[in-house]
């Protein structure tokens, strides 16, 4: 576990570092799929600033003053929180930062969401392992805009009344 890790809502001032961490983190995915135009890599600073304007929840992880990770989630009208852009700086991966970000973005949405949804490359085994460990199950597959096969995963919260069954 990374020492002195803090997780907090992102502000506009974090946009540049989010862009930098996101681009660095997703390069390995781009190499894996031989596609340098994966949406997280093609996203611009202005697009990140637009996301930060709301209504999405955007969290950042800091080790000391350094921004080392980010994640976002948007809750739709049906109560599904769409989690995305989970990214950790390459030299900080494998230390629990991604797991903390995932748990905290779920907690930030929990009052508004009964279900969490996310996707990852169908061949990204380590990502799939991380999500399974956090209670996600593969519910389907679909191609992304560039034709890469994505695994769609969901996690349902148990409703106290059992009314969302
Ligand atoms: C996926 C990612 C956010 C995980 O963050 P992390 O801080 O390395 O994850 P944690 O340390 O909390 O957990 C490690 C687990 O994540 C998974 N993992 C995925 N990519 C990993 C990587 N490059 N290094 C280490 N673990 C990775 C593994 O399942 C690992 O568990 P294991 O011990 O069973 O191998 C991070 O590796 C990353 O930014 N990857 C590139 C971008 C990406 O693919 N994002 C997800 C797209 S849906």
């Amino acid at each position: 576990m990374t020492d002195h890790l803090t997780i907090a809502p992102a502000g506009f001032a974090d946009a540049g570092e989010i862009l930098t961490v996101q681009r660095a983190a997703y390069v390995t995915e781009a190499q894996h799929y031989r596609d340098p135009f994966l949406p997280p890599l093609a996203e611009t600073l202005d697009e990140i600033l637009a996301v930060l304007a709301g209504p999405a929840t955007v969290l950042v992880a800091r080790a000391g003053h350094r921004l080392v990770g980010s994640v976002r989630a948007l809750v739709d009208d049906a109560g599904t929180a769409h989690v995305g852009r989970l990214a950790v700086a390459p030299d900080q991966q494998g230390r629990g930062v991604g797991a903390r970000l995932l748990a905290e973005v779920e907690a930030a949405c929990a009052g508004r969401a009964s279900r969490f949804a996310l996707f990852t490359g169908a061949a990204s085994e380590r990502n799939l392992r991380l999500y399974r460990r956090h209670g996600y199950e593969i519910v389907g597959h679909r191609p992304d805009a560039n034709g890469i096969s994505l695994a769609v995963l969901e996690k349902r919260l148990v409703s106290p009344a059992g009314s969302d069954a």
Side-chain angles (χ1 to χ4, degrees):
M1 173 70 71
T2 297
D3 289 337
H4 310 304
L5 189 77
T6 57
I7 310 246
F12 290 113
D14 296 318
E17 284 179 283
I18 292 172
L19 178 74
T20 301
V21 166
Q22 189 170 297
R23 288 207 178 165
Y26 277 91
V27 164
T28 45
E29 288 291 285
Q31 290 170 335
H32 188 84
Y33 294 101
R34 299 183 183 281
D35 181 354
F37 300 104
L38 296 177
L41 283 175
E43 196 167 47
T44 65
L45 181 65
D46 282 348
E47 287 168 339
I48 291 175
L49 285 166
V51 172
L52 288 169
T57 297
V58 184
L59 300 181
V60 289
R62 283 195 185 79
H65 292 295
R66 180 182 169 200
L67 195 152
V68 294
S70 178
V71 68
R72 62 181 78 158
L74 183 63
V75 182
D76 69 18
D77 292 342
T80 299
H82 299 271
V83 178
R85 300 289 196 270
L86 179 62
V88 173
D91 68 298
Q92 299 292 310
Q93 292 176 7
R95 302 175 178 201
V97 179
R100 282 273 311 271
L101 279 166
L102 187 57
E104 300 238 5
V105 81
E106 288 175 2
C109 297
R112 297 170 288 141
S114 57
R115 198 165 61 137
F116 294 90
L118 53 77
F119 55 82
T120 191
S124 298
E125 283 303 330
R126 292 197 299 186
N127 292 359
L128 290 170
R129 204 159 63 223
L130 173 69
Y131 295 136
R132 283 203 191 95
R133 211 164 45 222
H134 283 259
Y136 288 80
E137 293 175 353
I138 296 179
V139 294
H141 290 86
R142 65 174 173 83
D144 78 356
N146 304 335
I148 291 170
S149 177
L150 299 174
V152 182
L153 295 99
E154 286 184 3
K155 170 179 176 173
R156 271 181 186 278
L157 296 184
V158 179
S159 134
S163 55
D164 68 342

